[in-house]
């Protein structure tokens, strides 16, 4: 035992594997037993031994290791290790040899076995029902560091290799992997499926799926076969995703000027999956509700909403076939190169395919969550040093995705479309089949554009946070001052090179420059005296009319990742411009979002925010009103703790703001109406139901009763169903639970994953804590797929938050055992802890987790606690506005 410990100790605590040897090729043979939910395998790894060594160190976790041997390619001499040592903490397998292995080529053969786990990572089991019988299929999720749960390997993105995969599976099932099938051999009720050898790729992109599927297929103009695999009998539901995938391959081939490099692309929907989808090379795996599109069961409105969801997800995953798979980050520090770019380009591609959806405006909603997370003291840079590979799970977050994509958009906007596209094409060609770091991309962009991109962008990727730009006007001189924005209200020390864009009185009067220092000034007298807009106004030729139309907007179309604080006079003029509808939808979104954040940070009063919100009551843009609703929700959550006695007046004020849009849209879809009207109808009806609007509740319950009589009632569309579900759950208590039981019946009968998801999102909306506790127990039962529990957390009522916190504490060990600490797990923390707004609760949470925190969720826990403390501070600021309750009462009564 001491000898084994000394062997392990010299390799423990290292962020990365020692470079004693590097894999060149894996020959992997897996035998799956879907009844026993187990697997056995043998892997033969072609190695390049870098230097004479007595040790080989690779990754393995939760595997039983059998026979091991190493064959030197030069003399075919086989040697077996004298010691085989596994370390679960560092997730490594150390092979010790009596004599040093020589420098050069060799083949390492390892036999192993393991269990198909239930935690949706590694090689795992998925439950499904076939003819009333529960059965299992198998799927993989290897990103970030779980290929090692399936087979011993060098499980790091930089250690690319070719893969030859062979599977032994039940005869009647479909077996899929990254490459096309080479041949099959039958042996009784088992078939052996041999796949073609893959090109060089990272272990996290290896994939296997074994199950029962139907499929549809098309071939691209370049001869790439694209197949979509669906549950039996539902192949038609995959046709839309197939159409999008074919279009995506063609679009990205043109955009990157690099062809898709594999002979096929498969996309498969599995019944249980931790994320939304995973971009495995040549085999993209999806949650069913992110890929399947039921044309026959969908209303026109539902088709539009689902089509957009499926398109953006598919475009993201197909983009990864270039950005991530062909060119791969060198280490997890550069994860954002994968996720930020795939996110940005997926919106670009979706806009190209469906311009009527206006997804770039909706992109603002996406990046807003990045702005929120990055204003936490416990945020992290886009590039964050990963010391333990398991900790990488925490950076699959709003910084890597939302902020990453936002700073890319900011850079693309600054450099221009043509230069940016040409640069990405050059980058792809230079690093194809290789690994790259962030600096490599900046270097190519600098070469192509002539702009010193590295200096500009390192201020955005190597430090956390972003600036607040404070703006003052003195005559014709605009003065700017940047400071790090933190929701805590504290002053940060960050300094950025900021691409500033601005317009004066019109989007035709624009200026842009780089703010490189803490403070800066710019003379805008040319904008004052240039009648370049459609009104032909200038200060010289018509000073009075010019003054009437005067306003300045910084950060045009919200293209920059920063917030803006205007001096009072400029802010007042901007509000008038919003009222007169001179300001674009993206800028209306940004002005409200910035003001909301400034209010949270204690830099503006809630009364001023509420006044601004009133200006938006006649707005009809989906993204603007959707953001308005989100701000309403957030204010109610903290006001509930500040002035509980007057919270109903606040809700009524928000009802008054939203009612004009609700009356304009109604409950029923209108033939031929814009896609975004469909989305807005659902958002507004849900908000009114949440705020307790009696008319909405009456209509919703009447329509819900119709649904109970006829599941296809025309009185409830897919989008307005959610408002009905909120309304009936808000009326549900232990003493009055008929609606709750009816909703559970609808859930159990539902034959689409989208309908089940809709119901789960609102079951916990009841004001009765006992009902909320019952709902949480239902969510954790076998009636709900493990992956779907997170939907239920997002709808927990304020009245039920203490019950939810108690449930989390009481069921902690059960949660860890059932769900593990993978991608799903963070939702248990972020969604339940974030419901609170007091320092006392933050202290209680810290005490509970004092001895329970692991690397897998330490950062997420700190961020959740920080957000509770930020809201506690906001509650105290609100309490200091003593006249606020009376103001809100008057606003509510005014209508």
């Amino acid at each position: 035992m001491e000898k084994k410990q000394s062997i392990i100790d010299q390799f423990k605590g290292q962020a990365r594997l020692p470079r004693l040897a590097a894999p060149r090729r894996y020959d992997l043979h897996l035998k799956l037993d879907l009844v026993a939910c187990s697997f056995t395998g043998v892997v033969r790894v072609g190695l390049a031994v870098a230097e004479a060594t007595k040790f080989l160190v690779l990754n393995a976790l939760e595997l039983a290791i059998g026979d091991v041997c190493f064959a030197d390619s030069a003399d075919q001499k086989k040697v077996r290790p004298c010691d085989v040592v596994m370390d679960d903490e560092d997730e490594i397998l150390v092979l010790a040899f009596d004599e040093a292995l020589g420098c050069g080529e060799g083949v390492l053969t390892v036999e192993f076995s393991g269990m198909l786990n239930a935690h949706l990572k590694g090689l795992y089991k998925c439950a499904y029902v076939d003819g009333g019988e529960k059965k299992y299929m198998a799927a993989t999720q290897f990103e970030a560091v779980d290929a090692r749960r399936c087979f011993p390997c060098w499980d790091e993105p930089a250690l690319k290799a070719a893969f030859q995969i062979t599977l032994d599976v039940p005869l009647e099932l479909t077996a899929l992997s990254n490459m096309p099938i080479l041949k099959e051999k039958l042996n009784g009720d088992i078939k052996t499926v041999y796949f073609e050898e893959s090109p060089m790729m990272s272990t996290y992109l290896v994939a296997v799926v074994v199950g029962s599927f139907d499929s549809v297929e098309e071939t691209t103009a370049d001869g790439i076969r694209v197949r979509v695999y669906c549950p039996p009998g539902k192949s038609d539901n995959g046709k839309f995703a197939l159409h999008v995938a074919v279009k995506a391959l063609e679009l990205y081939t043109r955009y990157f000027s690099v062809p898709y490099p594999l002979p096929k692309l498969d996309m498969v929907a599995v019944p249980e999956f931790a994320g939304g989808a995973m971009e495995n090379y040549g085999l993209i795996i999806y949650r069913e509700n992110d890929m399947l599109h039921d044309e026959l069961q969908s209303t026109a409105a539902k088709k539009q909403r689902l089509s957009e969801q499926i398109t953006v997800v598919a475009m993201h995953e197909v983009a990864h076939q270039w950005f991530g798979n062909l060119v791969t980050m060198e280490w997890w520090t550069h994860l954002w190169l994968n996720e930020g770019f795939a996110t940005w380009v997926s919106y670009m591609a979706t806009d190209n395919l469906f311009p009527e959806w206006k997804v770039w405006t909706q992109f603002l909603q996406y990046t807003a969550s990045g702005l929120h997370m990055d204003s936490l003291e416990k945020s992290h840079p886009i590039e964050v040093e990963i010391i333990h590979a398991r900790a990488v799970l925490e950076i699959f977050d709003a910084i890597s995705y939302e902020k990453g994509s936002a700073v890319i958009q900011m850079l693309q906007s600054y450099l221009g479309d043509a230069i940016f596209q040409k640069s990405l094409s050059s980058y792809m060609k230079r690093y194809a089949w290789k690994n790259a770091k962030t600096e490599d991309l900046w270097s190519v962009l600098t070469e192509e554009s002539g702009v010193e991109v590295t200096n500009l962008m390192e201020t955005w990727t190597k430090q956390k946070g972003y600036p607040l730009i404070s703006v003052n006007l003195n005559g014709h001189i605009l003065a700017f001052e940047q400071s790090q924005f933190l929701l805590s209200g504290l002053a940060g020390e960050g300094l950025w090179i900021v691409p500033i864009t601005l317009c004066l009185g019109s989007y035709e009067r624009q200026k842009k420059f780089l703010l490189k220092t803490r403070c800066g000034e710019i003379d805008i007298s040319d904008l004052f005296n240039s009648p370049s807009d459609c009104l032909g106004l200038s200060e010289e030729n018509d000073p009075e009319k010019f003054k009437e139309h005067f306003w300045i907007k910084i950060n045009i179309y919200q293209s920059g990742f920063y917030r803006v604080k205007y001096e009072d006079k400029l802010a007042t003029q901007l509000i008038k411009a919003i009222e007169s509808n001179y300001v674009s939808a993206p800028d209306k979104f940004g002005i409200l979002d910035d003001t909301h954040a400034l209010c949270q940070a204690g830099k503006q009063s809630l009364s001023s925010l509420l006044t601004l919100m009133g200006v938006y009551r006649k707005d009809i843009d989906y993204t603007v009103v959707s953001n308005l609703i989100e701000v309403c929700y957030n204010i109610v959550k903290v006001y509930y703790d500040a002035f509980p006695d007057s919270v109903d007046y606040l809700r009524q004020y928000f009802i008054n703001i939203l009612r004009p849009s609700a009356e304009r849209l109604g409950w029923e879809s209108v033939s031929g109406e814009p896609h975004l009207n469909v989305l807005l109808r659902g958002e507004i009806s849900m908000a009114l139901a949440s705020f307790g609007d009696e008319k909405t509740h009456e209509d919703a319950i009447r329509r819900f009763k119709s649904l109970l009589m006829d599941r296809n009632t025309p009185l409830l569309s897919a989008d307005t169903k959610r408002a009905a579900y909120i309304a009936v759950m808000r009326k549900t208590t232990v003493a009055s639970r008929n609606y709750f039981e009816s909703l559970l019946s609808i859930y159990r009968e539902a034959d689409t994953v989208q309908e089940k998801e809709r119901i789960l999102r609102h079951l916990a909306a009841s004001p009765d804590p006992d009902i909320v506790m019952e709902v949480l127990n239902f969510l954790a039962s076998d009636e709900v797929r493990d992956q779907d529990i997170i939907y239920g957390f997002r709808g927990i009522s304020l009245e039920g938050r203490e019950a939810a916190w108690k449930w989390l504490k009481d069921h902690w060990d059960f949660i860890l055992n059932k769900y593990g600490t993978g991608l799903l797990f963070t939702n248990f923390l972020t969604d339940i802890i974030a419901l609170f707004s007091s320092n006392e609760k933050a202290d209680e949470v810290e005490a509970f987790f004092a001895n329970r925190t692991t690397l897998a969720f330490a950062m997420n826990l700190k961020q959740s606690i920080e957000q509770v403390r930020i809201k506690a501070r906001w509650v105290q600021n609100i309490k200091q506005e003593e006249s606020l309750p009376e103001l809100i009462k008057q606003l509510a009564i005014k209508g």
Side-chain angles (χ1 to χ4, degrees):
M1 182 62 74
E2 289 183 9
K3 181 183 177 184
K4 287 182 183 289
Q5 191 60 47
S6 65
I7 290 171
I8 281 289
D9 284 348
Q10 60 185 306
F11 300 111
K12 280 185 68 62
Q14 298 181 26
R16 301 170 74 164
L17 294 170
R19 293 302 189 253
L20 305 172
R24 294 290 181 261
R25 181 181 184 276
Y26 290 86
D27 188 336
L28 174 63
H29 191 157
L30 293 172
K31 300 179 181 181
L32 278 65
D33 185 336
L34 295 178
V35 176
C37 292
S38 63
F39 63 92
T40 60
V42 58
V43 62
R44 298 174 181 85
V45 191
L47 291 177
V49 180
E51 58 187 62
T53 176
K54 288 188 174 184
F55 301 99
L56 291 176
V57 184
L58 59 159
N59 295 113
L61 183 63
E62 296 178 358
L63 296 174
I65 304 300
D67 187 51
V68 181
C69 74
F70 178 83
D72 190 296
S73 296
D75 57 14
Q76 298 301 308
K77 178 183 177 183
K78 292 186 177 181
V79 293
R80 283 180 164 74
C82 56
D83 273 301
V84 177
V85 188
M86 290 266 288
D87 183 85
D88 289 342
E89 184 180 359
D90 281 66
E91 303 177 2
I92 56 174
L93 169 64
V94 181
L95 308 175
F97 297 87
D98 286 327
E99 296 182 10
L101 307 178
C103 179
E105 303 289 321
V107 177
L108 175 68
T109 301
V110 183
E111 295 180 357
F112 58 92
S113 61
M115 299 300 296
L116 298 174
N117 71 76
H119 293 159
L120 311 184
K121 55 188 176 183
L123 178 58
Y124 68 90
K125 61 184 179 182
C126 298
Y128 67 100
V129 177
D130 180 20
E133 180 184 356
K134 185 176 183 179
K135 294 182 178 179
Y136 289 103
M137 58 175 287
T140 54
Q141 172 58 37
F142 289 167
E143 190 180 28
V145 288
D146 286 313
R148 63 193 67 178
R149 293 180 190 270
C150 179
F151 61 100
C153 56
W154 278 256
D155 200 9
E156 295 182 5
L159 298 174
K160 288 188 170 185
F163 287 83
Q164 180 96 52
I165 294 175
T166 305
L167 300 177
D168 285 2
V169 301
L171 180 63
E172 72 278 7
L173 298 183
T174 299
L176 303 171
S177 189
N178 305 85
M179 298 298 290
I181 293 174
L182 186 63
K183 62 180 179 179
E184 294 184 2
K185 287 186 178 179
L186 306 184
N187 182 13
D189 59 356
I190 299 295
K191 64 181 176 183
T192 301
V193 184
Y194 300 84
F195 295 91
E196 293 178 15
E197 184 171 312
S198 78
M200 300 292 281
M201 65 180 182
S202 303
T203 48
Y204 80 89
L205 295 169
V206 175
V208 166
V209 176
V210 177
S212 181
F213 301 101
D214 286 343
S215 65
V216 289
E217 69 175 89
E218 284 186 28
T219 302
T220 70
D222 293 333
I224 306 300
R225 191 197 70 196
V226 184
R227 280 185 180 169
V228 169
Y229 289 85
C230 309
K234 295 188 176 182
S235 59
D236 284 349
N237 295 3
K239 287 182 177 178
F240 182 77
L242 176 64
H243 168 73
V244 171
V246 169
K247 292 294 184 183
L249 286 175
E250 294 170 349
L251 191 155
Y252 290 141
T253 295
R254 292 195 306 272
Y255 188 81
F256 295 124
S257 300
V258 174
Y260 176 70
L262 301 187
K264 64 94 174 175
L265 174 63
D266 291 336
M267 307 203 305
V268 56
V270 299
E272 294 185 281
F273 196 70
M278 173 62 204
E279 68 268 17
N280 313 294
Y281 223 165
L283 177 57
I284 302 172
I285 303 177
Y286 291 82
R287 276 189 182 215
E288 290 180 350
N289 55 347
D290 280 320
M291 194 188 86
L292 302 182
H293 189 318
D294 190 340
E295 289 278 349
L296 295 177
Q297 295 295 321
S298 298
T299 62
K302 182 180 176 183
K303 286 177 188 176
Q304 289 176 320
R305 189 183 192 104
L306 195 52
S307 296
E308 185 176 320
Q309 174 185 330
I310 290 171
T311 301
V312 173
V313 174
M315 287 294 188
H316 180 106
E317 304 307 328
V318 176
H320 272 309
Q321 307 301 304
W322 283 263
F323 240 110
N325 299 8
L326 180 62
V327 181
T328 310
M329 73 228 151
E330 193 275 336
W331 179 239
W332 297 110
T333 292
H334 310 282
L335 172 68
W336 86 282
L337 278 178
N338 280 18
E339 301 304 345
F341 265 89
T343 299
W344 173 79
V345 83
S346 70
Y347 277 83
M348 181 273 292
T350 300
D351 184 61
N352 183 284
L353 197 57
F354 298 105
E356 68 275 16
W357 291 352
K358 300 180 181 178
V359 293
W360 279 122
T361 304
Q362 295 177 64
F363 181 70
L364 295 175
Q365 294 175 295
Y366 189 79
T367 57
S369 57
L371 284 164
H372 177 79
M373 177 173 281
D374 209 27
S375 56
L376 302 178
E377 292 180 64
K378 300 298 182 183
S379 181
H380 62 82
I382 284 178
E383 293 183 68
V384 58
E385 192 59 39
I386 302 298
I387 298 172
H388 191 290
R390 188 60 51 187
V392 72
L393 294 175
E394 292 207 289
I395 64 167
F396 283 84
D397 62 6
I399 302 301
S400 295
Y401 285 76
E402 284 91 324
K403 181 181 180 180
S405 59
V407 298
I408 290 161
Q409 187 198 31
M410 180 170 67
L411 178 62
Q412 184 250 9
S413 178
Y414 182 72
L415 295 178
D417 294 347
I419 288 175
F420 197 72
Q421 181 178 355
K422 184 182 177 186
S423 301
L424 292 185
S425 176
S426 298
Y427 172 77
M428 286 290 165
K429 292 169 182 174
R430 184 176 302 182
Y431 292 100
W433 307 115
K434 301 173 185 175
N435 295 83
K437 298 179 179 180
T438 302
E439 294 81 3
D440 298 322
L441 177 60
W442 297 159
S443 178
V444 173
L445 282 160
T446 298
E447 289 174 22
E448 296 286 354
S449 69
V451 175
E452 190 51 58
V453 172
T454 303
N455 292 341
L456 167 64
M457 294 308 294
E458 282 190 349
T459 66
W460 295 94
T461 62
K462 292 188 178 298
Q463 64 178 336
K464 66 182 179 181
Y466 59 86
L468 170 68
I469 307 297
S470 298
V471 186
N472 289 276
L473 179 65
N474 184 10
H476 293 176
I477 302 297
L478 263 183
F480 299 84
E481 181 180 357
Q482 64 163 298
S483 58
Q484 184 176 350
F485 179 75
L486 292 170
L487 283 172
S488 65
L490 300 175
E493 297 178 353
L495 186 66
W496 290 263
I497 299 177
V498 189
I500 300 287
T501 57
L502 64 96
C503 62
L504 188 155
S506 161
Y507 287 96
E508 295 171 41
R509 289 189 175 114
Q510 293 192 15
K511 219 174 184 67
K512 68 178 183 179
F513 73 101
L514 290 178
L515 179 63
K516 299 181 179 180
T517 55
R518 183 76 62 190
C519 299
E521 292 183 346
I522 185 169
D523 187 338
I524 58 171
S525 55
D526 55 327
L527 298 185
F528 276 79
N529 297 307
S530 172
S532 58
D533 64 352
C534 59
L535 295 173
L537 295 175
S538 73
E539 190 178 40
E540 288 179 343
N541 64 28
D542 195 341
E544 285 304 314
K545 199 164 186 181
F546 181 84
K547 185 177 180 181
E548 180 186 338
H549 289 272
F550 176 84
W551 51 273
I552 292 175
K553 173 64 175 65
I554 311 298
N555 195 13
I556 302 173
Y557 304 131
Q558 298 303 111
S559 60
F561 195 79
Y562 54 89
R563 297 200 184 278
V564 180
K565 185 176 188 298
Y566 300 89
E567 65 175 351
D568 290 345
K569 186 177 179 181
L570 290 176
T572 300
Q573 290 162 333
L574 205 47
I575 289 174
K576 290 179 181 177
I578 295 171
E579 287 180 307
S580 300
N581 206 29
Y582 295 148
V583 180
S584 71
D587 287 326
K588 287 179 185 176
F589 179 102
I591 292 163
L592 178 59
D593 201 56
D594 286 354
T595 306
H596 175 214
L598 289 166
C599 185
Q600 287 178 287
K603 296 181 182 296
Q604 286 191 203
S605 65
L606 178 56
S607 56
S608 65
L609 174 58
L610 293 173
T611 301
L612 173 64
M613 292 168 72
V615 176
Y616 285 75
R617 73 170 61 218
K618 292 182 181 179
D619 212 291
I620 58 174
D621 181 86
Y622 166 71
T623 306
V624 173
V625 179
S626 182
N627 186 46
L628 175 66
I629 290 169
E630 188 63 30
V631 173
C632 290
Y633 287 144
N634 290 338
I635 294 173
V636 167
K637 288 172 186 174
V638 291
Y639 196 85
Y640 182 87
D641 286 335
F643 294 111
D645 292 341
S646 66
V647 73
D648 285 341
Y649 283 118
L650 179 67
R651 290 183 175 125
Q652 185 59 51
Y653 175 53
F654 292 156
I655 290 167
N656 296 344
I657 290 176
L658 297 173
R659 183 169 282 139
S661 293
E663 291 173 350
R664 179 178 62 85
L665 292 168
W667 278 86
E668 280 89 25
S669 301
V670 178
S671 177
E673 70 179 336
H675 163 63
L676 296 176
N677 276 15
V678 177
L679 303 184
L680 186 57
R681 178 179 293 107
E683 296 279 352
I684 289 178
S685 59
M686 281 193 292
L688 292 176
S690 297
F691 297 144
D693 179 46
E694 280 305 319
K695 186 177 186 309
T696 301
H697 276 211
E698 289 171 10
D699 284 346
I701 290 171
R702 176 174 60 85
R703 292 166 189 272
F704 181 75
K705 289 177 179 177
S706 177
L707 180 69
L708 296 181
M709 301 296 292
D710 174 12
R711 295 293 191 263
N712 296 313
T713 177
L715 295 182
L716 275 179
S717 69
D719 293 282
T720 54
K721 274 182 180 177
R722 293 181 62 184
Y725 298 161
I726 292 171
V728 298
M729 288 310 302
R730 289 303 294 170
K731 298 293 185 183
T732 295
T733 63
V734 170
S736 178
R737 53 185 293 126
N738 289 343
Y739 292 141
F740 176 41
E741 298 294 348
S742 297
L743 199 48
L744 287 178
S745 295
I746 296 173
Y747 174 85
R748 290 168 178 138
E749 295 170 13
D751 58 359
T752 68
V753 289
Q754 287 85 7
E755 177 65 1
K756 287 182 179 289
E757 176 189 331
R758 271 192 293 272
I759 295 168
L760 292 177
R761 285 184 180 275
H762 304 298
L763 279 179
S766 169
D768 189 326
D770 291 334
I771 293 291
V772 172
M773 186 71 78
E774 187 176 341
V775 168
L776 291 168
N777 288 329
F778 171 75
L779 291 171
S781 73
D782 290 340
E783 289 198 69
V784 177
R785 291 175 178 174
D786 288 357
Q787 65 172 18
D788 292 343
I789 189 172
I790 60 174
Y791 299 133
F793 294 155
R794 293 165 188 170
I796 296 171
S797 65
L798 283 172
E799 300 92 341
R801 58 186 176 176
E802 284 291 350
W805 172 234
K806 183 178 187 304
W807 179 86
L808 180 69
K809 292 186 292 182
D810 292 347
H811 292 80
W812 182 250
D813 292 336
F814 164 80
I815 291 166
L816 288 179
N817 290 332
K818 180 167 181 163
Y819 301 97
T821 55
L823 293 174
L824 285 177
F825 181 77
T826 56
N827 293 275
F828 286 83
L829 304 178
T830 55
D831 291 343
I832 292 178
I833 294 171
L835 291 165
F836 295 98
S837 309
S838 73
N839 285 314
E840 294 76 17
K841 187 59 65 176
D843 293 340
E844 186 182 329
V845 172
E846 282 183 338
F848 177 77
F849 283 105
N851 299 313
R852 294 178 171 88
T853 306
T854 70
L855 278 171
F857 64 86
M859 183 174 66
N860 281 312
L861 177 63
K862 289 177 181 177
Q863 290 171 344
S864 297
I865 293 171
E866 182 184 349
Q867 291 187 74
V868 175
R869 296 196 186 281
I870 285 167
K871 288 197 290 182
R873 184 172 176 272
W874 193 11
V875 167
Q876 294 308 311
N877 288 339
I878 290 171
K879 285 182 176 179
Q880 291 174 17
E881 293 186 58
E882 295 179 359
S883 61
L884 193 57
E886 183 58 31
L887 169 65
I888 289 173
K889 182 179 179 180
Q890 294 305 315
L891 290 171
I893 294 171
K894 186 178 177 181

